[in-house]
Amino acid sequence: MCSDELRVSVLGPVRAWLGDVEPVLGPARRRTVFALLAGRANQVVSRDELVDGVWGDEPPVGAVGSLHTYMSGLRRALGPARDALVSRTGGYLLRLTEAALDAEVFERGRADAQRLLAQRDWSGARDTVDAVLGLWHGSAYAGASGPFAEQERRRLGELRLSAVELRCRAALELGQHAEVVAEVSALLVEHPWHESLRALLMVALHRSGRDGEALEVFRAARRALIEQQGIEPGPALRDAHRVVLAELSPRRVARAC
């Protein structure tokens, strides 16, 4: 079994595979070091960067020595793929093939879906997003700690949310209005200040024939933004409001308002 067969998952608990076998990466800190190297695959990561990414501003006195210990343990765990973990002057490198890290596959798929959406290939965009969202198994870098994992967890979480939003936009164009209303409503419980999601909900409600509810989404969001943040709705909400109003007849506008 060669090192090229090493695959790594960070869209959930940090795990690795050699073919169908999952190596035991070891305790949490060692797993965190492996996660950082995987997230920077095929790049030399200096010892200083590893220490900063794993321990932050207050590393223990023996942090560099601990890195040596973790690398030895990881090489043992990787067995036939031990050569994937390479020592370089002042740092380390983890070799991975192009499709070996699930986070990279997800990001490429999301970008592909965005292009398909721009090309008005609604089914292609939806199916592409569905495929890459299936790579997720919890929060990114679950079980890993330190500044690097926390930063990547936030970044990938935002990309995951944008991918779901992209899928909802494609679903809207495919006439799946009720499904989008349900999904976006659930997302807003978790992300109440996400204006583009509220705008998407307005359009989905409008296309479902629920114009009064669509306009109430705008009114409620505007009240909350003014009262709690002292600002007016942003462009996404204002544009959705204009779209809904423009597509209503004067009589229906009066009734909806």
Side-chain angles (χ1 to χ4, degrees), residues 224-243:
L225 286 166
I226 291 172
E227 291 172 6
Q228 298 182 41
Q229 297 188 26
I231 58 174
E232 289 282 347
L237 268 173
R238 293 199 306 271
D239 288 349
H241 188 235
R242 279 195 293 268
V243 166

Side-chain angles (χ1 to χ4, degrees), residues 49-63:
E49 289 176 292
L50 280 165
V51 169
D52 289 344
V54 173
W55 285 281
D57 295 332
E58 298 183 357
V61 174

Side-chain angles (χ1 to χ4, degrees), residues 29-30 78 85 99-100 103 105 109 113 116 134 137 142 146-147 156 178 183 188 193 198 200 204 223 230 251 257:
R29 192 74 73 186
R30 194 165 85 186
L78 294 177
L85 185 53
V105 175
L116 290 168
H137 302 284
L156 287 166
E183 184 163 12
L188 282 167
W193 297 107
R198 288 203 178 275
L200 195 57
R223 280 196 303 271
R251 183 178 298 176
C257 294

